[in-house]
Amino acid sequence: MPLRTRLLEGPALLAPEAHPVPAERGRLSSWVRGRLEDSGLALARLDRPLDAASLLALGADLGRVSEETDPAVLPYVEQGRILNLISGRAATEDVALQPFSAGTLTLHSEGSGRPAATQPRYIVLMCQDPGDEAAAQTVLVPMRAVAERLQPRTLRTLGGLYYQDAPGVPPMARTVGDRTVFSFRDFGDRPLRWLAGKDTGPSADAAAEADDAITALLAAMYRPETALGIRWQRGTLAVIDNTWFFHGRTAGRFSAGARRHLQRIRVTAR
């Protein structure tokens, strides 16, 4: 908890550089794909925010744009696939509504409770209104840095752990090419019920090893050395590879009447 609090409620984080890129579709899509291939992150400063059609077209260039089907967020959905994230709610324990609050958002990989094939590959965020200077930062933590902080035995243990209440999900850690990819959410104060492979009744020693591995993972995720914080401006575009980064959000301190408005689409691989 102290590590989580220090990262998400502490001083502003180092901001990655946003590159000036024209909003013209062909050039933008090519630039985004190149950055994603190199670093898993494309962060652009556009001369204007993309409209809904252009945002969906960019998503289609990357893969298949997912429909938003959660009943809790449907009032904020545009054209079935664009989620308008307008920060105005008070802090909430409801995971579906946390993106709309001014509170912190714990680190996670998107869609960790889904089978790997249906998890988003890319999260695309378009800033329509940053709110004000004290608005929250979107936090990015490289999965590679997290994996390097963990002992090989810990990674092996995580590779055999699954969410108990989400059948068909991938393990908490898996190898994709030469990278470790995590499928994991920090549930904060809520319980995380895990399953070791198909074993529903592990020994006391195995249970202790699993708990130790999850604790080590959480501690590695919240180490501040490699965390980055996106500072939003009108026209900032971020495309995040969900297999490269955990993401979350720092606390927002909005002045009266100031609300941050981001638009989000989620893209699965073709």
Side-chain angles (χ1 to χ4, degrees):
M1 289 181 63
L3 286 173
R4 181 195 298 140
T5 300
R6 183 172 64 182
L7 186 70
L8 299 184
E9 300 184 24
L13 299 170
L14 178 67
E17 181 182 2
H19 299 266
V21 182
E24 187 272 321
R25 176 181 175 183
R27 295 175 63 185
L28 178 60
S29 292
S30 178
W31 182 85
V32 165
R33 287 195 296 269
R35 295 296 297 176
L36 290 173
E37 184 176 342
D38 290 341
S39 65
L41 172 66
L43 186 62
R45 186 172 67 251
L46 306 182
D47 51 0
R48 64 184 185 280
L50 298 177
D51 59 23
S54 298
L55 183 60
L56 290 172
L58 173 63
D61 288 340
L62 298 173
R64 183 177 62 84
V65 182
S66 301
E67 296 282 341
E68 293 288 344
T69 58
D70 189 331
V73 305
L74 288 181
Y76 306 94
V77 175
E78 182 178 342
Q79 297 191 28
R81 293 172 289 176
I82 299 174
L83 185 62
N84 287 289
L85 298 169
I86 301 174
S87 299
R89 289 177 169 268
T92 175
E93 292 297 317
D94 188 333
V95 172
L97 295 177
Q98 283 177 350
F100 304 93
S101 77
T104 60
L105 192 61
T106 55
L107 292 174
H108 60 284
S109 60
E110 194 77 8
S112 62
R114 303 178 184 181
T118 62
Q119 290 184 8
R121 177 62 188 269
Y122 305 112
I123 303 103
V124 183
L125 298 170
M126 180 75 252
C127 182
Q128 297 289 344
D129 188 338
D132 57 31
E133 291 184 357
Q137 290 180 279
T138 295
V139 182
L140 302 176
V141 175
M143 291 185 180
R144 186 182 297 274
V146 172
E148 289 173 349
R149 294 171 187 152
L150 299 174
Q151 297 293 326
R153 179 174 178 176
T154 300
L155 286 171
R156 287 195 297 272
T157 300
L158 292 169
L161 295 181
Y162 301 79
Y163 291 166
Q164 182 176 359
D165 302 323
V169 300
M172 295 180 186
R174 66 189 191 275
T175 300
V176 177
D178 63 346
R179 294 186 294 112
T180 299
V181 174
F182 295 95
S183 187
F184 184 79
R185 171 181 286 273
D186 171 15
F187 286 91
D189 295 334
R190 293 178 295 122
L192 189 167
R193 296 180 176 86
W194 53 263
L195 181 69
K198 298 186 180 301
D199 184 2
T200 57
S203 67
D205 287 345
E209 184 175 359
D211 285 342
D212 287 347
I214 293 170
T215 300
L217 172 58
L218 286 165
M221 288 164 60
Y222 285 101
R223 291 277 296 276
E225 293 88 346
T226 56
L228 300 171
I230 297 175
R231 294 191 181 100
W232 295 101
Q233 298 179 356
R234 179 172 168 81
T236 300
L237 171 76
V239 185
I240 305 162
D241 189 323
N242 195 39
T243 69
W244 281 65
F245 290 95
F246 290 106
H247 66 282
R249 188 185 62 217
T250 64
R253 292 173 288 278
F254 296 93
S255 57
R259 293 186 177 185
R260 187 181 73 174
H261 179 194
L262 304 181
Q263 290 183 308
R264 185 199 75 187
I265 59 174
R266 297 186 289 192
V267 181
T268 57
R270 296 188 189 280

